Amino acid sequence: QVQLVESGGGLVQPGGSLRLSCAASGITFSIRTMGWYRQAPGKQRDLVASITSGATTNYADSVKGRFTISRDNAKNTVYLQMNSLKAEDTAVYYCNTYLTSLAGTRNDYWGQGTQVTVSS
């Protein structure tokens, strides 16, 4: 079965950096689009960044220039490098991938989430 395991969250001061990792199993990682989402208390889960099998990246406007998504297909791992962190980046961060059925239905898979708290 598909498993996504995140790590790397924690408490960091404003302006600091963190790197999140997500190790995937149960999928052919190299052909999958991988994404990072985040959810703050009382808010919906939003896309932060995604990377396709061809390494094309996409970022939310709020993180452009500060966050970088990357992947290592040899390790079945996707990363999110977060720099210049702000208080508003505080959220639970989730790793995501999805499979599309022959009928065109998208099935999302999520990790357990990792807490990122930006505070002085």
Side-chain angles (χ1 to χ4, degrees):
Q1 70 277 22
V2 180
Q3 272 198 310
L4 302 172
V5 180
E6 301 104 333
S7 60
L11 173 64
V12 63
Q13 292 187 341
S17 298
L18 280 176
R19 188 175 84 152
L20 306 183
S21 299
C22 171
S25 60
I27 56 172
T28 306
F29 180 83
S30 61
I31 66 172
R32 293 290 157 215
T33 292
M34 302 297 298
W36 287 97
Y37 287 70
R38 67 186 180 187
Q39 188 169 21
K43 296 190 175 182
Q44 67 181 22
R45 190 175 297 186
D46 290 325
L47 178 68
V48 175
S50 64
I51 184 167
T52 68
S53 59
T56 298
T57 57
N58 179 54
Y59 296 94
D61 287 343
S62 59
V63 307
K64 282 181 181 176
R66 301 189 297 123
F67 290 11
T68 303
I69 189 170
S70 61
R71 65 191 300 156
D72 185 337
N73 290 338
K75 295 183 178 179
N76 285 7
T77 300
V78 61
Y79 304 98
L80 185 67
Q81 178 67 44
M82 305 186 293
N83 298 328
S84 302
L85 282 161
K86 304 175 182 179
E88 51 263 44
D89 295 318
T90 296
V92 178
Y93 284 71
Y94 296 91
C95 182
N96 167 273
T97 192
Y98 61 90
L99 302 177
T100 303
S101 71
L102 292 176
T105 303
R106 171 171 164 155
N107 298 300
D108 284 276
Y109 298 89
W110 301 94
Q112 82 284 359
T114 186
Q115 177 71 47
V116 171
T117 302
V118 184
S119 175
S120 54

